[in-house]
Amino acid sequence: MNEYVYPILLGVISGTLTRMYMLRTDYRQYPTHLHGKIIHIALGFIAAGLGTIAIPAIMEEEFTAITFLTLAASQFREVRNMERETLSRLDGLELVPRGATYIEGIAMAFESRNYLVIFTSLLVTFSYLVFNFYVAIIVAIVCFYASRILMDGSHLGDIVEVEPFPIRFDGAGLYIDNIYIMNIGLRSRQEQIMEYGMGFILTPKSFDAQTTISNLGQRQAILHDMSTALGIFKDSGNPALAPLAKRDLDDGRVGVFVLPQVKDEEKALEILRSVPTLEHAVRMPTESKANKKGRKLK
Amino acid sequence: MIFEKGILAAITTSPRKVPSGIAVFHCDDEEELKLVSSNLEYILDGIAHEVTPDVFIIVKH
């Protein structure tokens, strides 16, 4: 036993615990089956190990040991590829697919979570070695919460107003307010849709939000989350019963049409508001130089 | 060949309104038109769209 054993142990433990804590937020995004959990906790443990040995290595003047961290980086990029591949393959079998943008977002989250674990264990070991055990514990707790905050991206409710809206048929055309959704020819289908369908209108709060919700990947994510949380009145071979989200070209509002199994308006609104805004869908047109100089976009 | 999107069939009571080149189902009245459309929707995994009241098409999306 040398003076590094306890700091390293504490670093590894706090890193692994951070990963386990962050695994809880995966419910919507990933099947939290036992095997999936084990894979991610094991990788979190490895990440914690890699992060924690960096400081003792420097103290022992083993500077080349730092290059191990590059190994970690490539290893966790591999995790991202693995998640992307798995989810993409499974996506073809979903009644309402997640879409490539959502999958990329999830894969990215998995990669970045491992980096957060590395930072946590690195800081904890560092503070144990420089200060003492108690400071290290405080640092671990701070890292714990910081990781939680960093993992929690923004939600749809932050950028849009969500309100329920009745659906209606005008001839064969299905509408939510004045937004055209699709053409349904058969009367029996129209009756099913009127019975089970629900309509919502998302009104963007800013020009940036308008561009974000116009992204097809973001809209697919909304439909997927709604259909996962509330169930869906649809089966294979029933393409007419498809949830859809369409834009109003005039003002950028988005009409969301879903066919939930559970027709609970309150719940639906809550789910809509908590759909993550995908990093790859977020656009900031108001940040462009042209907009800053000239007439502001509203 | 993977069929991305296209008209799989047309069902009509006015045959001269439907272009050639696709499977056309001629019907005597509106009731038969709806019945045939409904059956074809199930069989072809497409959506029955109403173009005009006397012309329905089955589209794969």
Side-chain angles (χ1 to χ4, degrees), chain A residues 260-284:
Chain A
Q261 211 118 51
V262 185
K263 219 173 159 181
D264 186 332
E265 202 172 272
E266 282 299 305
K267 231 184 225 175
L269 284 172
E270 206 173 301
I271 294 158
L272 266 174
R273 288 193 191 104
S274 56
V275 171
T277 50
L278 306 178
E279 282 182 52
H280 295 287
V282 171
R283 297 282 178 278
M284 301 270 186

Side-chain angles (χ1 to χ4, degrees), chain A residues 124 136-146:
Chain A
V124 169
I137 290 289
I138 292 165
V139 169
I141 292 166
V142 171
C143 285
F144 225 56
Y145 284 108

Side-chain angles (χ1 to χ4, degrees), chain A residues 172 183 185-186 189 237-240, chain B residues 37-38 41 45-50 56:
Chain A
N183 179 304
L186 299 172
R189 279 269 178 271
N238 266 341
Chain B
S37 305
S38 170
E41 191 183 85
D45 269 9
I47 302 181
H49 292 299
E50 183 185 316
F56 272 52

